[in-house]
Amino acid sequence: MIDARFSDTITRHLIYALGTDPDHATLRDWRIALSLAVRDRLVDRWLAASHAARKAGAKRVYYLSMEFLIGRLLEDAIVNLRLEDEVRAALSALGLSPEAVIQDEPDAALGNGGLGRLAACFMESLASLGVPAIGYGIRYEHGLFRQSFVEGRQVEEPEDWLTQYHTWEFKRRNVRLRLCFGGEVVEEAGKAVWRGAEAVMAQAHDTPMIGWQGRWANTLRLWSAEPLHGFDLDRFNRGDYAAAAEAEALARTISRVLYPDDTTERGKELRLKQEYFFTAASLQDILHRFEDEGGALADLPKKAAIQLNDTHPAIAGPELVRLLHDERGMPLDQAIETARGCLSYTNHTLMPEALECWSEDLMTRLLPRHMQLIERIDAAHAAENPGRKVALTAHGEVRMGELAFVMAHKVNGVSALHTDLMKQTVFAELHRMHPDRIVNQTNGVTPRRWLFSANPRLSRLITGAIGEGWVCDLDQLETLEPSLRDPAFLDAYATAKRANKADLAAWLAEAHGITVDPEALFDVQIKRIHEYKRQHLNILETIALWREIKANPNGPWVPRVKIFAGKAAPGYAFAKEIIHLINDVATVVNADPETNRFLKVMFLPNYNVSLAERLIPAADLSEQISTAGKEASGTGNMKFALNGAPTIGTLDGANVEIRDRVGEENFFLFGMTAEETEIRRAAPDHARQAIAADTRLGGALKAVSQGVFSPRDRHRYRGFVGNLTGHDYFLVCSDFTAYWDAQRRVDAAFADPGVWWPMAARNTARTGWFSSDRTIRGYMADIWGAVPIDPA
Ligand code: 26W
């Protein structure tokens, strides 16, 4: 009997792996035992896949990223191995609730936001497409901080996912690599030799990345830092206990914690150490594998496609040249060419404060040989491009974007608009010099996690209509088009969304004591808090709406629930003020008997991958309201559209391509274009003019500055309002009226199910292109030249 066997397997792991008897087992014990039982089902395919890749002498993709925002892995493995029914049956035989067991797993929060989650979606798509690949990153002991609120203010606590048994990783005790920092470069026999002053060991931990139907599996190799020499017994015996453990503590610092900034580089030495640590360990590992498989160095580009996820691993350029030239004797210009043949670089932001620059002093002190090689690479590039006007160093700083560009054979942006803006702004000069180096690869999201797994009701409806092929060929969603004219299908579509909303309402009541009406419009803005993402535009519109309802409490208002979630970088004061204001507004508005049947506001704490999986299937409206030209792509926008939540948004990032595909009539567009923002920003007093022209905006700003939402601290938001009425760099005031009008168009559409549900369903049917499978196919064709391997 199937389930008997599987429930027995689970129980066997509980007893023999955890040494626990079923009568005394906790939910966590059962979750770990189940994970081990599921793991049994994927290890063979994992080992078979890496064997097949080796046997085929396949070109491998190496994805270097400081962040992998994985979330939970148990459900992902169950779904990709098609074990849902077997697991559900086994757990109910053991008297356990599948939901409770799944939710017991901590998120692997090894990332800040978009960049980290994209890396995770890419790893899942590479495995589902059967492309041999290894993801390389850091095994942070502490991922992105836990967020909670104290009197509406964000408070950060260390995240400690590793305090419990991490069932999905395998420590590779035989993969430990020695790395150096500091020291000097000496001349020996005419060769440059780097004598590092400080050494640390990189210890590999492998996590399987299983693909759809379990056909293929790749590896995520995360490095942890360990001391060269363990515990110092002599010092201990001399009673110098702290010193005895010092080396260990110092070494581990490198992989201790993820930097929580996602737009501002802080130039911290430890951050550069982290970047060099995982990049150097990964390149050494790549070369060892290549040489073990008998490759000739000059052929490395034929076997290794190394993708740099933003500039964070950009030191890979000089490091690979060092490994080829200094350590393996390849002539310098050939080493530079060979490295360029392997390397390609993705840019994820145009925000000047996010473009990494390291001081030459710090680079010289920490990585003296690399600083020399950066100058050699710069000189070689100058020689090849006489009259050029860019340099890799300027004002005593090394510009990592330029270094990554010069050392890459391909550079890509993450949406069509973003790639164009890269060519016109940050890389204009380099684009003129290398006109065919920049290509676009519009982002995507994995349909397994973000539709099939997160939204089973809608998935079943889609499969019922067009079969299950869409899960690994999302373009098939367009074959839903005929069903969109079928009232029965639209009814079932609405029913699925309503049921998801009812689930969310139940969870909000149980987990947060918040009651919401599932019939209301669920308006959701979930992403990192940043001025360019304009959560403050959203809350100002919310305040104006509240005031309008108060002025006319019996008006034909469309009940709306405003849901916010997202973390602010701990050092980003303005973002923290935005969070505080939203919580303060929620307190006042939700307690207002005149309006709270029409309007509820909430800020859910500790936004992460698992919370996104819970919110997106229940959303009606997707808020993508960034100042045009600032959001490189966005990926949440794609997840919402696939799950039937039309977008209210600007022509920014991938919103442009979403609107092109769903049709302008199924997208609530507002606001200035990227070009128009440049013009408006140049207009003196643009904010004051906008405020003068819109009394709703003026009224809302006055309410905030007068302390309506901070009665016990009336001046709390004086500075906040001052910034908006003065500088307002992100044009919140100038886009307000258009945003308000767009929201009223949303109300009108939502109030008419005959309009709303076809619009929602079209968003699902027409956004299959935003699968990360399509994105990966683009990288394979335009950048990597890698191909899928048949597992047989
Ligand atoms: C040095 C600090 C730092 C850390 C992370 C600076 C910048 C970053 C990331 C590049 C920020 C990020 O996550 N960018 C987002 O990347 C997504 C994936 O391509 C895009 O969809 C988002 O638009 C972009 O903001």
Side-chain angles (χ1 to χ4, degrees):
M1 252 280 290
I2 287 187
D3 74 330
R5 198 159 31 78
F6 199 60
S7 56
D8 295 347
T9 312
I10 299 171
T11 308
R12 190 165 41 72
H13 279 292
L14 183 81
I15 296 169
Y16 299 106
L18 301 181
T20 305
D21 82 62
D23 303 345
H24 297 93
T26 63
L27 179 70
R28 173 142 309 151
D29 296 330
W30 283 115
R31 188 261 300 169
I32 291 171
L34 169 64
S35 304
L36 295 173
V38 170
R39 206 177 69 173
D40 288 355
R41 297 290 185 87
L42 63 83
V43 170
D44 307 326
R45 299 142 200 254
W46 185 27
L47 298 176
S50 49
H51 178 71
R54 206 175 14 260
K55 198 153 123 296
K59 180 168 191 177
R60 292 184 181 86
V61 172
Y62 295 111
Y63 201 81
L64 271 58
S65 180
M66 278 281 270
E67 305 184 17
F68 287 94
L69 197 40
I70 299 166
R72 292 181 177 132
L73 277 171
L74 176 55
E75 187 168 18
D76 182 68
I78 291 170
V79 162
N80 270 313
L81 291 167
R82 311 315 312 272
L83 290 174
E84 300 104 305
D85 302 343
E86 210 171 333
V87 165
R88 191 169 290 284
L91 290 178
S92 50
L94 293 163
L96 296 160
S97 122
E99 281 66 37
V101 170
I102 298 270
Q103 278 147 34
D104 175 72
E105 182 184 351
D107 270 39
L110 307 180
N112 278 287
L115 169 140
R117 182 56 234 178
L118 187 83
C121 281
F122 278 11
M123 291 308 294
E124 198 275 346
S125 277
L126 283 160
S128 291
L129 292 168
V131 178
I134 297 181
Y136 282 112
I138 296 180
R139 181 182 182 266
Y140 300 106
E141 269 179 62
H142 303 286
L144 188 60
F145 63 86
R146 291 189 64 74
Q147 177 197 50
S148 56
F149 299 131
V150 174
E151 288 171 3
R153 291 174 193 278
Q154 170 178 295
V155 171
E156 302 93 22
E157 290 153 281
E159 189 285 324
D160 54 12
W161 71 304
L162 287 177
T163 51
Q164 46 183 289
Y165 183 162
H166 177 27
T167 50
W168 299 105
E169 72 172 8
F170 295 82
K171 186 171 185 176
R172 298 304 190 203
R173 296 175 193 289
N174 58 339
V175 184
R176 291 169 60 78
L177 302 173
R178 187 174 179 285
L179 304 170
C180 287
F181 294 104
E184 56 179 357
V185 180
V186 296
E187 186 84 16
E188 277 173 18
K191 277 168 41 98
V193 176
W194 177 27
R195 295 234 173 291
E198 178 199 340
V200 63
M201 297 304 284
Q203 167 64 59
H205 301 256
D206 289 355
T207 296
M209 299 279 119
I210 190 81
W212 179 239
Q213 310 277 26
R215 270 197 297 269
W216 188 265
N218 282 322
T219 297
L220 176 61
R221 178 160 281 184
L222 301 179
W223 302 101
S224 66
E226 297 188 356
L228 224 59
H229 312 296
F231 173 63
D232 186 330
L233 190 58
D234 299 349
R235 284 199 169 161
F236 186 88
N237 291 341
R238 288 201 301 276
D240 196 346
Y241 305 132
E246 190 191 39
E248 172 143 21
L250 262 183
R252 284 180 54 191
T253 307
I254 292 173
S255 56
R256 181 88 70 188
V257 64
L258 165 74
Y259 268 88
D261 309 291
D262 78 329
T263 48
T264 311
E265 67 97 12
R266 298 199 172 284
K268 292 274 187 311
E269 174 169 338
L270 179 57
R271 169 81 179 189
L272 179 56
K273 283 182 118 174
Q274 289 184 332
E275 294 185 353
Y276 178 71
F277 168 76
F278 97 94
T279 302
S282 307
L283 291 174
Q284 277 192 42
D285 195 49
I286 291 169
L287 277 178
H288 288 163
R289 184 176 299 103
F290 176 75
E291 287 160 337
D292 288 355
E293 293 174 357
L297 275 183
D299 295 337
L300 187 62
K302 295 197 184 78
K303 298 295 184 182
I306 303 172
Q307 190 69 34
L308 308 180
N309 200 16
D310 216 278
T311 58
H312 312 154
I315 198 72
E319 173 65 8
L320 189 48
V321 169
R322 188 183 73 83
L323 293 170
L324 294 172
H325 176 61
D326 292 11
E327 301 209 346
R328 290 168 176 76
M330 187 184 270
L332 184 65
D333 53 1
Q334 187 194 357
I336 293 175
E337 212 35 58
T338 304
R340 184 177 292 126
C342 297
L343 298 172
S344 43
Y345 152 55
T346 301
N347 173 281
H348 294 269
T349 180
L350 301 176
M351 305 288 279
E353 67 267 29
L355 301 175
E356 292 187 297
C357 290
W358 293 105
S359 79
E360 286 184 40
D361 299 347
L362 175 58
M363 189 68 82
T364 306
R365 187 160 49 74
L366 215 55
L367 302 167
R369 181 53 181 157
H370 298 77
M371 192 59 231
Q372 291 177 347
L373 290 169
I374 288 168
E375 279 147 8
R376 302 294 294 278
I377 291 166
D378 207 4
H381 187 251
E384 287 151 18
N385 302 279
R388 68 169 196 161
K389 288 193 277 313
V390 290
L392 304 188
T393 59
H395 320 299
E397 294 198 316
V398 181
R399 307 161 78 177
M400 301 310 274
E402 280 74 4
L403 174 63
F405 191 111
V406 166
M407 281 307 295
H409 68 278
K410 283 292 179 202
V411 172
N412 77 281
V414 291
S415 78
L417 174 62
H418 171 64
T419 301
D420 289 346
L421 291 174
M422 276 169 65
K423 292 174 180 175
Q424 293 156 22
T425 59
V426 283
F427 295 125
E429 178 61 21
L430 283 166
H431 175 56
R432 249 190 302 282
M433 297 159 66
H434 308 284
D436 55 9
R437 193 169 291 182
I438 297 180
V439 294
N440 179 50
Q441 299 296 342
T442 297
N443 283 161
V445 299
T446 169
R448 272 71 66 184
R449 183 179 291 265
W450 295 108
L451 187 48
F452 187 78
S453 176
N455 197 340
R457 289 191 180 96
L458 178 53
S459 300
R460 278 194 295 275
L461 178 64
I462 295 169
T463 300
I466 62 171
E468 199 178 68
W470 60 271
V471 180
C472 58
D473 177 14
L474 207 56
D475 290 331
Q476 289 187 21
L477 289 181
E478 63 199 23
T479 64
L480 280 171
E481 209 65 48
S483 306
L484 304 185
R485 288 184 290 282
D486 166 7
F489 179 86
L490 289 174
D491 201 43
Y493 189 99
T495 304
K497 179 63 79 174
R498 269 203 209 89
N500 291 347
K501 293 171 68 177
D503 283 359
L504 179 60
W507 178 77
L508 288 171
E510 180 254 322
H512 294 285
I514 302 171
T515 51
V516 297
D517 164 11
E519 292 308 311
L521 188 157
F522 284 13
D523 170 347
V524 182
Q525 186 170 21
I526 49 178
K527 52 188 73 223
R528 286 294 296 252
I529 309 300
H530 198 287
E531 286 163 276
Y532 85 78
K533 295 174 184 283
R534 300 202 294 191
Q535 282 89 354
H536 44 342
L537 172 58
N538 188 336
I539 198 64
L540 280 174
E541 188 271 342
T542 305
I543 293 166
L545 177 61
W546 172 65
R547 288 163 51 79
E548 204 93 353
I549 296 171
K550 277 184 89 52
N552 173 13
N554 304 315
W557 300 107
V558 173
R560 192 181 278 241
V561 175
K562 286 266 187 183
I563 300 175
F564 293 86
K567 294 173 180 176
Y572 191 176
F574 197 96
K576 287 184 152 180
E577 273 211 278
I578 292 175
I579 294 176
H580 197 185
L581 175 61
I582 295 170
N583 279 320
D584 277 350
V585 169
T587 305
V588 170
V589 167
N590 296 345
D592 183 337
E594 282 182 320
T595 63
N596 59 16
R597 63 198 161 90
F598 290 130
L599 181 60
K600 279 274 179 72
V601 179
M602 66 192 71
F603 199 118
L604 300 174
N606 204 39
Y607 177 58
N608 59 15
V609 171
S610 294
L611 183 53
E613 289 174 32
R614 186 187 289 280
L615 292 173
I616 291 172
D620 292 308
L621 187 66
S622 163
E623 295 272 357
Q624 310 297 335
I625 62 175
S626 53
T627 311
K630 300 301 179 189
E631 189 70 86
S633 163
T635 45
N637 47 8
M638 300 163 183
K639 297 161 187 169
F640 278 107
L642 279 168
N643 282 276
T647 305
I648 183 164
T650 52
L651 281 178
D652 197 16
N655 290 359
V656 175
E657 292 154 89
I658 289 174
R659 182 168 174 270
D660 289 347
R661 288 181 181 269
V662 300
E664 59 187 53
E665 72 286 356
N666 301 300
F667 187 106
F668 297 97
L669 178 69
F670 78 95
M672 289 172 275
T673 62
E675 294 76 27
E676 287 164 345
T677 60
E678 297 301 323
I679 299 160
R680 180 69 179 177
R681 195 173 287 118
D685 251 7
H686 51 79
R688 261 180 232 299
Q689 287 170 26
I691 295 165
D694 188 322
T695 53
R696 286 193 190 92
L697 172 59
L701 286 167
K702 193 178 278 116
V704 173
S705 65
Q706 289 172 341
V708 169
F709 306 104
S710 53
R712 288 197 309 284
D713 175 5
R714 290 214 162 276
H715 304 310
R716 176 176 294 170
Y717 295 109
R718 276 285 157 84
F720 179 89
V721 171
N723 172 294
L724 276 181
T725 51
H727 196 42
D728 190 19
Y729 178 85
F730 294 100
L731 303 170
V732 166
C733 296
S734 300
D735 262 348
F736 181 89
T737 308
Y739 180 53
W740 171 272
D741 295 344
Q743 288 288 16
R744 302 296 72 82
R745 291 202 303 275
V746 170
D747 283 338
F750 189 76
D752 179 350
V755 169
W756 186 261
W757 293 118
M759 183 185 270
R762 286 189 202 110
N763 270 269
T764 296
R766 297 174 183 177
T767 50
W769 188 78
F770 296 99
S771 167
S772 46
D773 298 350
R774 181 271 314 157
T775 311
I776 292 294
R777 285 197 195 96
Y779 279 85
M780 287 156 64
D782 306 344
I783 300 176
W784 298 333
V787 293
I789 294 283
D790 183 358

